[in-house]
Amino acid sequence: MEKDRNTNNLKNAIVVSIKVELDSDHIAYVTVTLSRQETRPILIELQHADWMDVDFFSKASTLLQEFLSSNRDAVDELTLILSSIQHIKDSAPPIPIKPPTLQEPDVNKDRPKQSTELLNSPPEKMIIKPEIVSRIWMYLPSLSTKSKRQDLVDYASHYSITGFVLAGKPGILCLEGNEKDVSQYMTEIKTKSWGDIPAAHKKVSERHRELNVTRAFNDMKEITDDIDTHGARGNRGEMSQVQKYFKER
């Protein structure tokens, strides 16, 4: 009888899907189920979207359920739904970055056509191919101190590293260069620039690595002032603008 009663309650449940806009390019949906079950009259779950990777979806779902467990009995159902949606916007993990693949430049695109005689003659000067490097994308849990942001820019030139720095929570590093140089660069940053930071706070997570790509940047630059922010404290960079900035290189 108990099983039949639960089944009937689920059949009579009201299920709605609510749109949650994290930024201009990333939309999430939340499923809200209202049933007659006394134990769990309301169920709120995050739906998986195509742009979400496994890590993002798992963390975001866990954060949502922890929020619901702490607040389910403290507020009415409508307030719980609205506050859950706001919690997703404010506390979502860093949105996964999927950098576009840059096309190799066509060195012959703008060259005038040559006669067979010229093509068979020795070239007057060598065509130098664009430098091939690795491009590494990193997340820092938080990056705000102006001097440490400047160190990330200044130290890069010693290792022939190009890319950009974006402050915020999280902070983002895009590094282009020889993999050994990038490793030595990060070691010097952690030991010198971050020497006064506790080891537990020096965590840097690599989110994406591209091998054998052409440099997209001519130097290392901070782009924080060029990117809009959102979030409750205004410290989350607008990922759509970061991707646009990258594509324009």
Side-chain angles (χ1 to χ4, degrees), residues 100-135:
T101 301
L102 292 181
Q103 295 182 346
E104 294 292 333
D106 185 355
V107 296
N108 296 313
K109 180 180 178 181
D110 299 321
R111 296 179 63 189
K113 293 182 178 180
Q114 298 177 327
S115 65
T116 304
E117 181 180 352
L118 288 176
L119 288 174
N120 292 332
S121 62
E124 294 184 2
K125 92 178 159 176
M126 295 286 290
I127 298 175
I128 301 176
K129 293 183 178 181
E131 184 181 2
I132 303 300
V133 296
S134 295
R135 184 180 300 116

Side-chain angles (χ1 to χ4, degrees), residues 47-174:
Q47 298 180 24
H48 186 275
D50 291 340
W51 57 265
M52 297 179 184
D53 59 19
V54 175
D55 184 58
F56 178 93
F57 180 70
S58 176
K59 289 181 179 178
S61 297
T62 299
L63 289 171
L64 174 59
Q65 295 309 314
E66 289 175 350
F67 175 81
L68 292 171
S69 298
S70 302
N71 295 273
R72 190 182 300 277
D73 298 328
V75 296
D76 59 80
E77 293 179 352
L78 179 58
T79 302
L80 182 62
I81 294 172
L82 295 177
S83 58
S84 296
I85 293 173
Q86 189 61 46
H87 180 74
I88 292 173
K89 291 182 178 180
D90 294 340
S91 304
I95 293 176
I97 294 180
K98 295 182 179 180
T101 301
L102 292 181
Q103 295 182 346
E104 294 292 333
D106 185 355
V107 296
N108 296 313
K109 180 180 178 181
D110 299 321
R111 296 179 63 189
K113 293 182 178 180
Q114 298 177 327
S115 65
T116 304
E117 181 180 352
L118 288 176
L119 288 174
N120 292 332
S121 62
E124 294 184 2
K125 92 178 159 176
M126 295 286 290
I127 298 175
I128 301 176
K129 293 183 178 181
E131 184 181 2
I132 303 300
V133 296
S134 295
R135 184 180 300 116
I136 303 169
W137 298 80
M138 297 180 176
Y139 274 167
L140 288 70
S142 179
L143 177 62
S144 58
T145 306
K146 184 67 176 179
S147 61
K148 299 192 185 305
R149 287 148 52 183
Q150 188 61 45
D151 285 345
L152 287 166
V153 174
D154 293 341
Y155 285 30
S157 61
H158 302 160
Y159 296 93
S160 300
I161 290 175
T162 56
F164 66 82
V165 180
L166 176 64
K169 190 174 183 181
I172 296 177
L173 277 179
C174 174

